[in-house]
Amino acid sequence: MKIPDKVKIGFKDYVVNRVDGPVISDRLVCYGDITYDTGVIRLQNVDLSEDMEQCAFIHECVHGIDDVAETNLTEEQVEKFSKGLYALIKDNPEIFKK
Ligand SMILES: [Zn+2]
């Protein structure tokens, strides 16, 4: 999987920024975060395996989908769903090709 510099989620365009250090969001250290109003996804760029970085990207995208779909998922639901979605994408790359 290639993490893009920009991603469109529903009607919103997001810029994907890599951060050279831990992402701190609401005083918690995490691997990434998403700001809906400004359209920014931040991902920790250091000390993360490729798998963790990609999983963090999918996690923030699921938050973005939750925002446009107004599904009001909890953080735990986003975590579990994004792990499943990441595995689906990673394990089945052929389904996304024409
Ligand atoms: Zn989250």
Side-chain angles (χ1 to χ4, degrees), residues 59-60 63 75 78:
H59 178 103
E60 299 313 328
H63 274 301
E75 185 62 32
V78 170

Side-chain angles (χ1 to χ4, degrees), residues 8-13 67-69:
K8 186 170 170 57
I9 303 174
F11 64 93
K12 292 187 179 178
D13 292 309
D67 179 52
V68 292

Side-chain angles (χ1 to χ4, degrees), residues 23-30:
V23 173
I24 299 170
S25 182
D26 291 336
R27 280 176 271 143
L28 294 172
V29 176
C30 50

Side-chain angles (χ1 to χ4, degrees), residues 10-66:
F11 64 93
K12 292 187 179 178
D13 292 309
Y14 287 91
V15 174
V16 180
N17 289 335
R18 305 298 185 64
V19 177
D20 288 333
V23 173
I24 299 170
S25 182
D26 291 336
R27 280 176 271 143
L28 294 172
V29 176
C30 50
Y31 299 135
D33 70 357
I34 183 168
T35 307
Y36 306 118
D37 296 342
T38 53
V40 177
I41 289 174
R42 296 188 303 162
L43 297 174
Q44 179 179 326
N45 202 21
V46 289
D47 300 330
L48 275 192
S49 68
E50 193 177 355
D51 261 340
M52 284 302 296
E53 199 176 343
Q54 292 174 349
C55 195
F57 171 68
I58 295 299
H59 178 103
E60 299 313 328
C61 289
V62 169
H63 274 301
I65 294 166
D66 179 49

Side-chain angles (χ1 to χ4, degrees), residues 55 58-59 62 77-88:
C55 195
I58 295 299
H59 178 103
V62 169
Q77 288 170 326
V78 170
E79 264 175 37
K80 290 179 176 176
F81 186 84
S82 61
K83 282 178 187 165
L85 179 60
Y86 175 57
L88 175 75

